[in-house]
Amino acid sequence: MNATLLAVALSLVSAGAYAAAAVAQSRLAGRTEPGTGVLRMLGRGAWWSAVGLNAAGALLHVAALNYGPLTLVQPLGALTLVVAVPLGARAAGRRVGRTEWRGTALTLLGLGALLLTAGGSAPHETLTLPEALGVGAATMAVVAGLSRPGARPGLRHAAASGITSGVASALTQTLTVAVTDHSGGPLFSWRLLTVALLVSAFAMGGLLLSQTAYRGGLGAPLAVVTLANPVAAAAIGLALLGERLQGGPVSLVLALLGTTAAVRGVFLLSRSQAPNADPGEVPEGPAPVEPVPSRVVIGSPRPAAVPEPVAVRAGGVPHP
């Protein structure tokens, strides 16, 4: 098996682990009060189950980054949402709807187009210490801006989670390539120690931000995380790590079409998994029928003379 196929296979298994973790986090968030602190959450077994699944997905993701570039590995992370569809439906005790199937198909088609344009060579360039510090500072500034109080906190926290996770993946690739490099350089250095600390901070921050985002439901926040993650990682790969799309202008058009299809698919998946029912879905079983109040008309003889209305003054005195 060559490096590209191995990276794809590891990414697929990693997406399954991340999807199971997302469903576990969403169920935990639904049973957790909004004011629950982090320390109380750490005492719950469901939280540690989600952490274990995320850790398994992260280890597989790290292995995939050692064999494939960011532009190849990160788009496969969108399969997390695709895998989460049947898992979330089963956890909710329902079947997958038509809108969800359409979103899954569009997401897979878009991913296929993106994978055709991604570079297939194994990574060899790494971030320097100033570049890693600059990426870390810029990420912290963006996350601080998204975490401010305001409208749609779930989606903003989801975007912050996706960005921190994508940056952590880019930093992780630098760490794994540098450690496995056989050029004779030092195994431990200030650069690798700094990158390792940034990876730990961003990975844990992304996990906590996603847990906060899932309080409003699984679908839309997970879709935002799924889109923000590869965008952040691919931006670092293309700007700082020398990664390129292969195929020239034709691949650029194919990448745009694939991105459009994937975004549309993710939108359909997020809408179908929203907490409220999707108006495009047809509910199973007969529709509920609202009770109609019955009207019974009873005939009665009309009186011979109907007295004229009498006005009443204030104080209850009749006015002639």
Side-chain angles (χ1 to χ4, degrees), residues 302-312 318-320:
R302 182 179 178 85
V306 178
E308 297 180 358
V310 178
V312 181
H319 185 278

Side-chain angles (χ1 to χ4, degrees), residues 75-303:
L76 289 171
L79 292 174
T80 299
L81 186 62
V82 176
V83 178
V85 170
L87 289 180
R90 182 176 181 181
R94 61 177 179 83
R95 292 186 296 180
V96 181
R98 291 192 300 271
T99 301
E100 293 171 308
W101 286 125
R102 290 198 299 270
T104 300
L106 284 174
T107 303
L108 290 175
L109 289 175
L111 283 175
L114 289 174
L115 290 177
L116 291 176
T117 63
S121 60
H124 59 277
E125 294 190 23
T126 59
L127 296 174
T128 63
L129 181 58
E131 289 175 341
L133 291 175
V135 168
T139 303
M140 292 178 185
V142 172
V143 170
L146 292 172
S147 301
R148 291 183 303 175
R152 298 184 179 273
L155 297 183
R156 287 188 290 106
H157 286 144
S161 174
I163 292 172
T164 53
S165 299
V167 172
S169 296
L171 295 172
T172 299
Q173 188 179 72
T174 288
L175 195 63
T176 55
V177 172
V179 169
T180 57
D181 187 14
H182 301 290
S183 60
L187 185 60
F188 297 101
S189 62
W190 283 110
R191 180 179 70 123
L192 295 184
L193 180 60
T194 302
V195 171
L197 292 176
L198 288 175
V199 168
S200 302
F202 287 146
M204 182 55 66
L207 182 62
L208 294 175
L209 286 168
S210 64
Q211 181 66 44
T212 304
Y214 292 151
R215 289 175 180 171
L218 176 65
L222 183 57
V224 174
V225 171
T226 303
L227 287 176
N229 188 315
V231 168
I236 296 174
L238 294 173
L240 301 176
L241 296 177
E243 297 184 3
R244 295 291 182 268
L245 298 177
Q246 60 180 1
V250 177
S251 67
L252 181 59
V253 175
L254 187 60
L256 292 176
L257 292 176
T259 301
T260 303
V263 169
R264 176 61 179 171
V266 169
F267 172 76
L268 290 176
L269 288 171
S270 65
R271 192 179 66 174
S272 62
Q273 294 183 28
N276 296 327
D278 184 3
E281 293 287 339
V282 178
E284 299 179 5
V289 179
E290 296 183 359
V292 180
S294 59
R295 298 180 58 187
V296 180
V297 180
I298 302 176
S300 60
R302 182 179 178 85

